[in-house]
Amino acid sequence: MNSFHFIKTTAILLLAALLLIHLTGCDGRPRRVPVTGTVLVDGKPLEGEIQGYVRFMPTAGGRSAQAALDKNGNFVLGNYEETDGCPLGEYKVEIQAFEVNGNRMRYLIPPRYGNPKTSGITVKIDKKGQAVQLKTEWTAKDSPWRKKSHVME
């Protein structure tokens, strides 16, 4: 009877270990899901010579996921690798998108979106292969121009 108890206990511990590996990911990191998206300004995708990024900051704490923006304002999030997705959860979002013209920088979206505390954008990642649209808009008090040395140092 002792050998049966030993085998049963070992099997339960092995199953628990496999479940833990599955939930956290094989590499010991949180399980990540693919997330793609587009930044919209006033309802239209960004376009032009974009320099910028998006960053998803987990509201529960932890490592952020980020991505560079392409010329159409599209992105593919990465958490540990460039495009490995991000863990499920709720995120506050920061976005920077601008063009550089000589010694001046023109924001393509209002600068307030460059801070997760002031952007007002939150996203819940709750399924595999999620595509998100990050909607931004200009107001009368926003200025698209800043001196390069004033912002980019």
Side-chain angles (χ1 to χ4, degrees):
M1 193 69 160
N2 281 340
S3 65
F4 177 73
H5 180 66
F6 174 76
I7 292 172
K8 183 179 173 184
T9 303
T10 303
I12 290 171
L13 289 174
L14 181 60
L15 284 173
L18 289 173
L19 180 62
L20 183 63
I21 289 170
H22 175 72
L23 291 176
T24 61
C26 295
D27 55 7
R29 299 171 177 168
R31 188 169 79 84
R32 297 163 308 278
V33 296
V35 177
T36 60
T38 304
V39 175
L40 303 176
V41 60
D42 295 328
K44 299 176 185 168
L46 288 173
E47 57 184 28
E49 296 298 318
I50 299 169
Q51 296 182 33
Y53 66 89
V54 297
R55 183 171 302 148
F56 283 45
M57 308 290 292
T59 58
R63 187 179 180 96
S64 66
Q66 57 276 326
L69 296 173
D70 73 10
K71 66 181 182 173
N72 298 311
N74 298 314
F75 60 90
V76 178
L77 284 180
N79 189 243
Y80 289 91
E81 308 294 329
E82 189 172 339
T83 59
D84 67 345
C86 72
L88 300 177
E90 188 167 305
Y91 294 84
K92 289 186 175 188
V93 178
E94 86 179 58
I95 309 165
Q96 288 279 346
F98 53 88
E99 291 178 322
V100 176
N101 180 3
N103 69 343
R104 290 172 55 96
M105 181 173 87
R106 182 174 72 92
Y107 285 102
L108 299 174
I109 63 170
R112 71 178 175 275
Y113 293 104
N115 183 330
K117 294 179 182 176
T118 60
S119 77
I121 300 175
T122 58
V123 173
K124 185 172 185 175
I125 304 300
D126 58 2
K127 60 184 175 184
K128 185 177 181 178
Q130 191 164 340
V132 297
Q133 287 189 336
L134 303 177
K135 298 176 182 177
T136 66
E137 60 184 22
W138 287 96
T139 65
K141 64 183 175 180
D142 295 318
S143 171
W145 290 102
R146 296 283 189 268
K147 286 193 182 280
K148 185 175 173 183
S149 63
H150 192 70
V151 177
M152 296 187 58
E153 289 186 335

